[in-house]
Amino acid sequence: MAGELLYGAPAPGLVDIPPAAEQLSPLIPGSADIAALPDASAEAAVILAPPGTLERDFVLAHALRALKPGAPITAFAPKDKGGARLKKTLEGFGCTVVEDARRHHRFCRTVRPSALHDLDRAIQAGAPRIVPDLGPEPGMWSQPGVFSWDRPDPGSVRLLDVLPPFAGRGADLGCGIGLLARHVLASTKVTDLTCADLDGRAVACAEHNLDDPRVRVLWADVRRPLDGVADLDFVVMNPPFHDGGAEDRALGVAFIGAAARMLARRGVCWLVANRHLPYETALAGAFATVAVRAEGGGYKIFEARK
């Protein structure tokens, strides 16, 4: 294990990053699992704290747990995305914090004290668990920080209402914890389903939720080629349109292009999108036919065929 830890991808010049630091962010495929780090083993940590309270406290608690007593930690975040609460959180764990602000971020510097407080509470609150509201009894595995972690996303629910039964080989792009995939797998005519997501936490939960020999779950960026995913009969997706908290319509366009490349001739893609997102041009350029199959509640559902 690396002696120094890094969580997240800070903007260039924002903070000094140890050159050999071990990446821990679940949004960077291949990163180490922060929850699996040995206690009191690391020499230093740089943490770009995530915005959600449960997720942020979970990450900071694990980082402090993994540091050796006296080891330095720098935690920072945009002021409007949790940065203003970092100092109080770290002090609640028993740290003495020096704080400064620049470039719209708050930076907190401290060292891991010999005695830490309330780590177990924060770790338990941010850990994976079965969430009853995500499906039939007993629910589905999820974790704070994952997209729509504690309730079904309304767009996905609307898509589920109109999806037909599928057959053959398919994919769920941006699968999350597997809500759409579980519905797709209800068809015994589905022979193979590849599920891919950028969030390693969602992938781990999907592996729990989709315990089916027909399924392969990948921790991957859908915008890059996926090994062995070609000549598919169908694709389902609720593509993301935020990157780092900011709207990025190019993400959905990239998902549309990826789906088109994966599908065989006459293959079909079903997707849901917020009404304000102008995906019609991208769909028309990538598919032979495009139809709106449902609309309402702020969403559009498309069926697009190669």
Side-chain angles (χ1 to χ4, degrees):
M1 194 199 82
E4 296 173 309
L5 309 174
L6 172 65
Y7 188 99
L14 192 60
V15 68
D16 291 333
I17 299 174
E22 184 171 20
Q23 179 60 252
L24 303 173
S25 172
L27 302 181
I28 300 176
S31 297
D33 180 3
I34 193 170
L37 297 174
D39 290 350
S41 60
E43 303 289 345
V46 175
I47 307 294
L48 174 53
T53 300
L54 296 178
E55 179 188 8
R56 181 184 65 247
D57 292 0
F58 175 85
V59 168
L60 291 174
H62 268 304
L64 288 167
R65 175 193 59 77
L67 286 170
K68 296 178 179 179
I73 177 172
T74 298
F76 63 102
K79 294 178 184 177
D80 59 349
K81 294 180 181 177
R85 296 184 290 275
L86 283 176
K87 184 173 186 287
K88 183 177 180 180
T89 299
L90 288 166
E91 288 176 341
F93 291 140
C95 299
T96 300
V97 180
V98 175
E99 183 184 41
D100 65 89
R102 55 188 170 85
R103 292 178 59 179
H104 309 293
H105 286 65
R106 291 279 181 88
F107 295 81
C108 292
R109 293 175 174 84
T110 185
V111 297
R112 196 264 208 203
S114 298
L116 289 163
H117 310 298
D118 287 338
L119 292 193
D120 289 345
R121 173 195 54 79
I123 288 170
Q124 183 176 5
R129 82 285 303 268
I130 293 176
V131 179
D133 291 344
L134 286 173
E137 183 69 28
M140 296 180 73
W141 279 91
S142 188
Q143 183 175 4
V146 170
F147 172 68
S148 197
W149 80 272
D150 60 349
R151 62 184 66 86
D153 172 66
S156 293
V157 171
R158 290 189 173 273
L159 181 56
L160 288 172
D161 286 340
V162 298
L163 280 182
F166 292 104
R169 301 175 61 246
D172 179 355
L173 304 183
C175 66
I177 65 169
L179 188 69
L180 295 180
R182 191 163 72 170
H183 178 90
V184 169
L185 290 165
S187 170
T188 58
K189 294 182 179 180
V190 172
T191 59
D192 179 273
L193 185 66
T194 297
C195 299
D197 201 279
L198 185 65
D199 191 330
R201 298 164 300 188
V203 166
C205 291
E207 288 173 339
H208 280 290
N209 296 325
L210 306 173
D211 185 14
D212 188 306
R214 297 173 291 169
V215 174
R216 178 174 64 143
V217 186
L218 302 178
W219 184 11
D221 188 336
V222 168
R223 294 169 290 184
R224 297 181 174 88
L226 304 180
D227 287 344
V229 186
D231 296 322
L232 300 180
D233 299 298
F234 65 90
V235 169
V236 297
M237 60 183 184
N238 180 359
F241 61 96
H242 286 91
D243 188 4
E247 184 172 307
D248 183 356
R249 299 182 180 188
L251 270 174
V253 172
F255 268 61
I256 290 167
R261 290 189 296 273
M262 294 173 185
L263 286 165
R265 188 180 179 189
R266 298 189 179 89
V268 63
C269 174
W270 282 80
L271 71 98
V272 61
N274 289 59
R275 284 190 64 182
H276 75 280
L277 296 172
Y279 290 159
E280 284 82 355
T281 299
L283 286 164
F287 291 90
T289 64
V290 180
V292 176
R293 294 305 185 195
E295 192 168 4
Y299 296 95
K300 300 174 288 190
I301 295 171
F302 296 95
E303 179 189 12
R305 290 190 176 271
K306 289 287 292 287

